Structure formats: C-alpha cells, structure tokens
Amino acid sequence: MDYLTEYQASLTDPESFWSRWADKLVWDTRWTKAYNPQGPLAKWFEGGRTNIAFNSARSESSALVWYSETGERLELKGRDLRLGIVGAACKLKELGVRKGDKVAIYGPNAIQTLLYMLGSAWIGAVYSVIFAGLGEDAVKARLDRLKPKVLVKARWTERKGRRIPLYFSGDIEYRTLNDEEEVRDLIELGESCHLEYEAVEANEPLKVFFTSGTTGVPKGIVLPHGAWMVGDYEVFDYLFGLKDGDVVFTTADVGWITFSRIMYGTLLHGGKLVFMEGAPDYPSPNKIQEIAEREHARVFFTSPTLIRLFRRLGADLPRTEFLAAAGEIFDESSWNYSLRFAEKVTDVYGQTELGYVIGTPYSLDGVEAKPGYAGVPLPGAELAVLDDEGKPTDGIGNLVSVRPFPTQFIGVLNDEVKFKQYFVRFGYHETGDLAVREGLHFKIMGRNDDVIKISGHRITSGEVEAVVSEVKGVTEAAAVGVPDEIKGNKLVIFYVGDAAEDEIRRIVREKLGPIYVVDDVIRVKKLPRSRSGKIMRSVLRKIVTGEPFDPTVVDDPSDLREIEHVVRGKLQGSGSSH
C-alpha cells in the first residue's frame, strides 16, 4: 500500500481508518464512535470495552524471553504466558486490588516485572513502573505522588556483576527465590485461580509513567487503556509489518516508556519479545550480537547512545532486518554505522505524552528513510512546525501535534493545570521539541529550552552538537547556553573523546559562523543522561552556573562528580565566571 494514499485516508476519514485498526483486536463491547475530537484531544472508541493484557497473550506465538546479565535464559510462551499473567493478577487481587486502583511496580528487566505489569492490566488496575536505577529520594517522590494501593518490588537487580538491593519494602516482593522458580509459581497460581480479565472502557486509564524529560521535574503522565492499545498496535504494524512469531529484541529498560511500547507492540502482534537485564557490554561486548543471533531477531530496537557506545568500542551490532532507535536524536554518523548491520534503519520519534508519531513506515510503499531525520508522520498523526507566533515556518520551529492520536495522554497525575499547559500556547499539543520540516520528513533539533541565544542570534543545542559530533575524535557532545550579561548566553560545549579543544572551536566557527564563539570546551568521560537515555543539558547548565540540582534524575549520579570536578578545574583555570 502507498504511504501517501494511506496517510491521506487517515486524515479524511479517521472514523473508518481507526475502526479498521481496532477491528484487528478483541473487544468485549464494540464502540459507538471511534474518533470524537474535542479540541486538541479526543475520545477514542467510545463505549468500547477491551483488555490489553488479554489481547497481548491471546496468540500461542506471543512470548517473553529474558536474558540475565550472565546469559541465563528464561522463556514464557502462549498458555504459560497467559497463566503467568493471571497468577500475577491473582496475587494483586488477594491484596484487594480492584479495577482503577493504582499499583506501583518497582523492579528491573525481569519476567516477573512484566507479569505484574500485564497482571495489573488484566484486572483493570492502573500501574506505574518505577525505574530500578533511581536513587532512594527519587523512588520515594514517585511513590508519594502515585499513592499506590500496592507496591510490588524486586529485592535486587544486577549490573556489571554486582547485585544491587532496591529500596523500601513491598506488599509483594519478588526475587526472594530464583527467577525460574518464581515464574513457575505464578504459572501454577494462574492455573488454579481461574481469574477472568476485566473489560475496560477505551478511555479509562491503563498506566502512569513518570517522566522528567530533560528538566528534572517528574510528572505522572496518565495513558488510556484501549485507545493506547490500538495506537501502539498500528505504529508497530506500519514500522515493521510484524506478524505471528516475529522476534523483537530490545535493550530498553522496563522503567522507560519505550519498553512498554515495544512490549505491547510485539505481543499484540503475536510476536516474541527478547529483553535482557544488566549492562549491554558486560561481560562481553559481543553479548548483544550473540543474543540476537541465537533468537533470530527480525527487529533490534535500541537507543542512539548504545549505537555510539558500540561504534566507539569497534563492536558489531546485531545483524537484523530492522534496526530502530528512539529516546534522543539519532545522528547521521550513528545511522550510517547502523546500516552496516541492518537492512532497514529508522529513527522513531515520540514522547510519553503523545506516543510514537514519526518514523519510517517500512510496511508502506513510496517513502524512504532519510539519515539524521526522525522520519515522516505515521498515518493518523498530523504535525506542524510553528514559529513563536504560532505561524507555520520553513525554518526551525516548535513541533506541535495538530491532530489527536490514540496513544496521547489523558492527564497529568494530580495536576490539571500542568495538563492544560500543553495546549495553551498554540491551541495544539505542544511537544516542547524544536524541529525543521523538509518535504515529508521531520528533523528533531532539540528541546525548545535548549535554544541558545548569542547576541540576538538563536541556535539550538542540536545544531551545535551535530557539528561537533563530526569532528574527528569526538564520540558524543552536548552544547548548553549559560547566562551572560552582555551576549545573553555563552556557549559551552561538553564532549567525550580525544579531539583537541582548539579544533572543536575552529570547526564550530567555520561551520556555524563567527558569531558563534565557543566560550568553553570541556572534555568529560561520560555525559549525564536521564533514565531514558536523553542528555541532561539542564544538569550540565546548572553545574556550570553553580545552581543546585537533583542528582537522582540522572541514570548514574556518580557521573556527575567527575563532571563537577572537571568543570571547577576548567573554569578556575581559564578564569571564566558564569
């Protein structure tokens, strides 16, 4: 099918378009109206009742395959997967969890974690996954906001050979036995308790995902049940044409919304999800390649950060039909490196609040991937690039979603004001990202709070970083603007690699123009990242200016000590004052 034909049909007759996709899944009660727009939001499949966990486990081909850090393998498929989900649901029911109750799941990439996610959905509970790598204060902050009826938690996780205990006590705790025994116990419980799934109205909540983006302020994003299910199914169908038995291998963490998208997108198509716990390059840099080969993965879904790591190590990526990357800007160099190992490569753009809306829909004809670009709008999604006055622009502008999409959020937990703020500025869903459009393709340039203003001239962090990343010896870079009384902002560049600082300054001046004088170039061993892999420029900015920040918002707070030390030495040595 032709992309432009399909895309146009999705906009001109959304009722028929979305009904067609919803009909591919099982509903207990059919909807009265598939698409009912209400300003920048919509009601989806009104009155339709379904269950995403049931739909995820109805195929005998649906499977979960887990690898421990050291290579132990555990698979759950078909009937056993359904029983494991029911067993987890029964344990929650025993503690009084009912439809609409909140369940917090605090654990690592383990099959038990996924079974409790799916088990919560099975009974219509609203679950929230808390990243196992967060610090104690960050975990507590999320629990305090969520106020769950039940906390399900793992005793420990594992990373680079170390067993790391998790904080707090849970109402349900796992990893008290070995993983295989615990999974078997859940299957046996599911066999004996005979618990039917709860049919949930399409617009009722499924889950709450806490996101801090690049700002470091966690928000509880509330996502709908049946609507999100249909949207996620559609996206993964267009991107990869998934079918029964297809194997999708991901390196994402279960605490990241991308994992949830990949898990459901795979299982809803009757596919096999392969995932792993621990570091991707431990105990061997060939670990990922070996897993992909053993499982015959058709899709490898990862992050640009990991691709850059492998490129730096000189290690091979898995050889697959598809390679997809999400979570941050997928630079052209990493894209071209990926093409050495995959037949088809795509960036996938989205946000927790909106879902995946841009990518390369390889199952459609007439559209090609463009390295360095996020892709084209997926059918059903309509996006625009607006200037600060809300007018369309051919240059860099604010990326907005003009049309509602089924995976769009339905609220911010306990914060109606913050929810409405997304729609105030332009009257559309404001993503907070900057982009440029070229024909059908969109290129993401960075966050709108990453605009650097130097003597009245605007440039994005992404533009600077794209130039710096091409300098020989630079493996990754981050650019931030810090306040300056005269120029507005000073430009500070952080980088990883062995390139000379003067060469970075010269290339930036040569490529971007003499107005963009680099005030400081700071070499570090690692850049600080959020749990979803995004560079935390706000933290780098605060380190330079000396402002306080919360270290628990980054994936590895120990990275910050080294950066603070280097920044202090650099700025004192150069006499800079910010």
Side-chain angles (χ1 to χ4, degrees):
M1 188 176 294
D2 176 73
Y3 165 73
L4 287 176
T5 303
E6 184 79 342
Y7 183 72
Q8 197 57 42
S10 75
L11 302 188
T12 55
D13 189 3
E15 182 71 26
S16 298
F17 175 83
W18 287 113
S19 290
R20 171 162 60 89
W21 281 104
D23 277 332
K24 296 175 185 290
L25 299 158
V26 174
W27 295 76
D28 287 67
T29 306
R30 189 172 175 82
W31 54 93
T32 55
K33 192 171 180 62
Y35 176 63
N36 183 9
Q38 299 176 358
L41 297 163
K43 291 290 186 181
W44 297 92
F45 315 107
E46 286 182 295
R49 306 183 76 82
T50 185
N51 188 282
I52 193 171
F54 171 77
N55 274 282
S56 296
R58 65 192 173 102
S59 170
E60 292 305 313
S61 300
S62 294
L64 300 174
V65 177
W66 167 81
Y67 279 85
S68 74
E69 188 168 64
T70 54
E72 176 190 352
R73 182 184 186 276
L74 187 57
E75 179 172 0
L76 211 54
K77 184 177 181 181
R79 180 174 181 272
D80 282 350
L81 173 60
R82 286 191 295 279
L83 291 175
I85 293 168
V86 172
C90 287
K91 293 200 79 166
L92 293 167
K93 273 279 193 181
E94 287 170 4
L95 292 179
V97 177
R98 298 293 182 266
K99 178 184 172 186
D101 288 341
K102 297 187 185 73
V103 175
I105 303 166
Y106 172 36
N109 281 24
I111 281 190
Q112 300 95 306
T113 308
L114 275 59
L115 291 179
Y116 281 110
M117 292 165 63
L118 291 159
S120 298
W122 187 271
I123 57 175
V126 181
Y127 70 85
S128 183
V129 182
I130 298 176
F131 177 49
L134 289 176
E136 184 175 4
D137 290 346
V139 175
K140 185 177 185 301
R142 285 157 175 78
L143 291 174
D144 288 345
R145 284 179 174 86
L146 187 68
K147 295 180 173 54
K149 183 162 190 175
V150 166
L151 169 60
V152 180
K153 66 154 291 223
R155 288 275 181 91
W156 53 270
T157 183
E158 193 169 34
R159 188 154 183 99
K160 295 207 168 179
R162 292 190 304 121
R163 184 170 285 194
I164 303 166
L166 301 188
Y167 304 106
F168 306 113
S169 297
D171 302 292
I172 296 173
E173 294 200 352
Y174 56 100
R175 287 202 154 164
T176 59
L177 307 170
N178 73 52
D179 292 293
E180 191 169 358
E181 283 182 67
E182 288 187 341
V183 170
R184 180 52 53 189
D185 287 348
L186 288 175
I187 291 170
E188 290 176 358
L189 178 58
E191 209 161 15
S192 62
C193 77
H194 306 296
L195 180 63
E196 293 295 319
Y197 67 84
E198 185 79 36
V200 181
E201 203 276 336
N203 299 281
E204 290 182 314
L206 166 66
K207 53 190 173 182
V208 176
F209 261 86
F210 284 97
T211 175
S212 56
T214 54
T215 64
V217 181
K219 295 172 290 186
I221 305 302
V222 185
L223 299 167
H225 197 117
W228 195 94
M229 174 183 74
V230 176
D232 195 55
Y233 181 89
E234 181 242 32
V235 165
F236 277 76
D237 203 286
Y238 280 132
L239 290 175
F240 312 119
L242 291 182
K243 55 186 183 298
D244 253 26
D246 278 348
V247 180
V248 178
F249 174 30
T250 184
T251 58
D253 191 282
V254 67
W256 182 21
I257 184 64
T258 284
F259 187 100
S260 189
R261 293 172 182 143
I262 297 166
M263 179 185 80
Y264 284 115
T266 302
L267 295 179
L268 288 168
H269 281 89
K272 178 190 289 188
L273 177 72
V274 180
F275 66 107
M276 63 183 204
E277 185 174 5
D281 56 344
Y282 180 91
S284 161
N286 297 322
K287 169 181 168 181
I288 286 178
Q289 187 181 7
E290 290 165 359
I291 293 173
E293 288 176 358
R294 177 177 177 180
E295 300 296 338
H296 304 290
R298 184 174 178 228
V299 179
F300 179 51
F301 211 127
T302 188
S303 68
T305 301
L306 188 67
I307 295 168
R308 285 192 285 268
L309 169 66
F310 273 60
R311 192 178 67 175
R312 190 164 73 241
L313 293 172
D316 288 349
L317 293 166
R319 295 192 179 277
T320 52
E321 181 180 353
F322 295 100
L323 183 148
E328 57 179 319
I329 294 172
F330 192 2
D331 59 280
E332 193 169 346
S333 296
S334 298
W335 187 304
N336 290 332
Y337 180 75
S338 302
L339 282 171
R340 292 165 52 183
F341 306 99
E343 296 174 34
K344 301 165 188 171
V345 173
T346 183
D347 192 356
V348 192
Y349 168 81
Q351 58 171 180
T352 306
E353 298 92 330
L354 186 59
Y356 285 151
V357 289
I358 299 176
T360 307
Y362 278 110
S363 65
L364 298 174
D365 298 325
V367 63
E368 292 184 0
K370 193 170 183 178
Y373 284 72
V376 300
L378 298 172
E382 186 178 2
L383 298 113
V385 178
L386 307 178
D387 64 19
D388 289 343
E389 305 304 315
K391 298 174 182 176
T393 176
D394 293 331
I396 296 171
N398 303 282
L399 181 65
V400 299
S401 176
V402 174
R403 181 181 293 253
F405 199 75
T407 50
Q408 189 176 26
F409 67 156
I410 55 175
V412 175
L413 186 67
N414 305 323
D415 199 335
E416 186 67 18
V417 172
K418 192 172 288 293
F419 178 50
K420 290 178 178 177
Q421 284 175 352
Y422 283 81
F423 314 104
V424 169
R425 188 179 179 199
F426 299 113
Y428 301 121
H429 180 130
E430 183 180 4
T431 67
D433 287 315
L434 296 171
V436 65
R437 184 170 190 166
E438 187 175 307
L440 297 172
H441 290 77
F442 286 82
K443 184 180 182 70
I444 308 301
M445 305 303 296
R447 298 289 296 170
N448 60 16
D449 53 6
D450 287 332
V451 173
I452 302 167
K453 300 175 183 177
I454 302 174
S455 301
H457 298 267
R458 289 159 51 100
I459 194 166
T460 67
S461 295
E463 290 175 278
V464 178
E465 291 160 9
V467 169
V468 176
S469 294
E470 294 301 316
V471 177
K472 187 177 181 180
V474 173
T475 54
E476 55 183 357
V480 299
V482 296
D484 180 78
E485 290 182 5
I486 298 171
K487 296 197 296 182
N489 279 155
K490 288 184 176 180
L491 177 58
V492 180
I493 293 172
F494 292 81
Y495 77 102
V496 178
D498 57 8
E501 293 181 15
D502 287 346
E503 179 66 1
I504 291 173
R505 293 176 190 272
R506 184 186 71 78
I507 294 292
V508 169
R509 185 181 179 87
E510 179 184 297
K511 298 283 188 181
L512 298 178
I515 189 66
Y516 298 111
V517 175
V518 181
D519 288 272
D520 287 297
V521 180
I522 301 172
R523 180 182 172 187
V524 294
K525 292 178 181 176
K526 284 175 69 179
L527 294 175
R529 295 183 178 276
S530 70
R531 60 178 178 155
S532 62
K534 295 175 183 175
I535 295 171
M536 297 294 287
R537 295 177 189 85
S538 61
V539 171
L540 290 172
R541 192 179 297 115
K542 288 176 179 178
I543 289 174
V544 174
T545 59
E547 297 174 70
F549 59 87
D550 178 5
T552 64
V553 300
V554 302
D555 182 36
D556 187 353
S558 65
D559 295 341
L560 301 178
R561 289 192 291 273
E562 183 260 341
I563 295 172
E564 286 182 291
H565 177 74
V566 171
V567 168
R568 280 197 301 270
K570 178 76 175 177
L571 298 185
Q572 288 169 4
S574 66
S576 295
S577 177
H578 297 297

